[in-house]
């Protein structure tokens, strides 16, 4: 079971690393835009070096095969642990599996992102992706059952002996983390505030406070 942080924010990553439960980090263009990082290619290089040897996924946004491959090569040159996120299809519906196989043959690991169906995740696995990213919240947005999809994909990846890890993104509630892992996810990538909520519990706080009072710790 792996937990990734879904953020480009180095300070949030720094906060979580000492707890020993973070196995990698993912980003996407929306998160990078929100972070207001100006020179994000340098920033991801610094982030990758900080978290190494854990993987950092960074997404390409080119419009065609050659653009995506060029972007990917530039990004991958920034650090050894950068994994290139390639959208499984283009906005026009063209498969980007050829980008994945080109990168794979150059030894650049791929995270196939924007997967919303079993077929997309399996095709990404066949194209050699290290991770197939299924977007849990977005499956739900369209009325689908993310749990059923994760169960299906995890079983098929195992049955056909693919080394591809099923990574679940688009986590929108703390309970999604447990539900995704329980359904067979290998990795969940979680926004830092969501991870904090997953661990918090009002009654744990009250219990610890009770123990402290009984141990003679004064109320603040
Ligand atoms: C994973 O890295 C995805 O890009 C991300 O979790 C998407 O989340 P959203 O659907 O909440 O935007």
């Amino acid at each position: 079971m792996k937990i990734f942080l879904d953020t480009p924010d180095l300070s949030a990553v720094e906060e979580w690393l000492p707890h020993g439960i973070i196995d990698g980090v993912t980003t996407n263009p929306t998160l990078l835009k929100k972070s207001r990082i100006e020179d994000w290619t340098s920033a991801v290089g610094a982030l990758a070096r900080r978290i190494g040897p854990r993987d950092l996924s960074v997404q390409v946004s080119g419009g065609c095969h050659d653009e995506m491959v060029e972007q990917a090569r530039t990004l991958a040159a920034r650090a050894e642990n950068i994994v290139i996120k390639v959208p499984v299809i283009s906005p026009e519906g063209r498969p980007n599996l050829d980008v994945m196989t080109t990168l794979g043959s150059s030894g650049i690991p791929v995270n196939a992102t924007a997967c919303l169906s079993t077929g997309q995740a399996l095709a990404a696995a066949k194209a050699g992706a290290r991770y197939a990213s299924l977007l849990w919240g977005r499956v739900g947005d369209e009325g689908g059952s993310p749990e059923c999809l994760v169960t299906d994909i995890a079983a098929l990846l195992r049955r056909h002996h693919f080394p591809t890890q099923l990574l679940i993104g688009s986590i929108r509630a703390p309970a999604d983390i447990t539900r995704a892992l329980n359904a067979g996810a290998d990795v969940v990538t979680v926004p830092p505030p969501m991870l904090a909520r997953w661990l918090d519990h009002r009654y744990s706080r009250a219990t610890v406070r009770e123990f402290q009072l009984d141990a003679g710790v004064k109320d603040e």
Side-chain angles (χ1 to χ4, degrees), residues 6 26-28 59 85 113 135 138 169-172 189:
D6 199 15
T26 53
T27 63
N28 67 34
Q59 192 163 329
K85 267 175 118 174
T113 192
L135 302 188
R138 293 184 190 233
S170 190
I171 293 289
R172 307 267 178 85
T189 188

Side-chain angles (χ1 to χ4, degrees), residues 88-107:
V88 69
I89 58 170
S90 73
E92 297 76 31
R94 189 190 65 244
N96 284 330
L97 305 171
D98 53 353
V99 178
M100 299 181 199
T101 55
T102 303
L103 296 180
S105 59
S106 325

Side-chain angles (χ1 to χ4, degrees), residues 181-192:
L181 290 168
N182 195 36
D186 298 299
V187 189
V188 275
T189 188
V190 187

Side-chain angles (χ1 to χ4, degrees), residues 156-179:
L156 284 159
L157 290 176
R158 265 195 307 275
R159 188 186 310 159
H160 297 285
H161 309 291
F162 285 112
T164 305
Q165 297 170 59
L166 179 56
L167 188 158
I168 304 304
S170 190
I171 293 289
R172 307 267 178 85
D176 293 344
I177 303 169
T178 316
R179 286 169 61 207

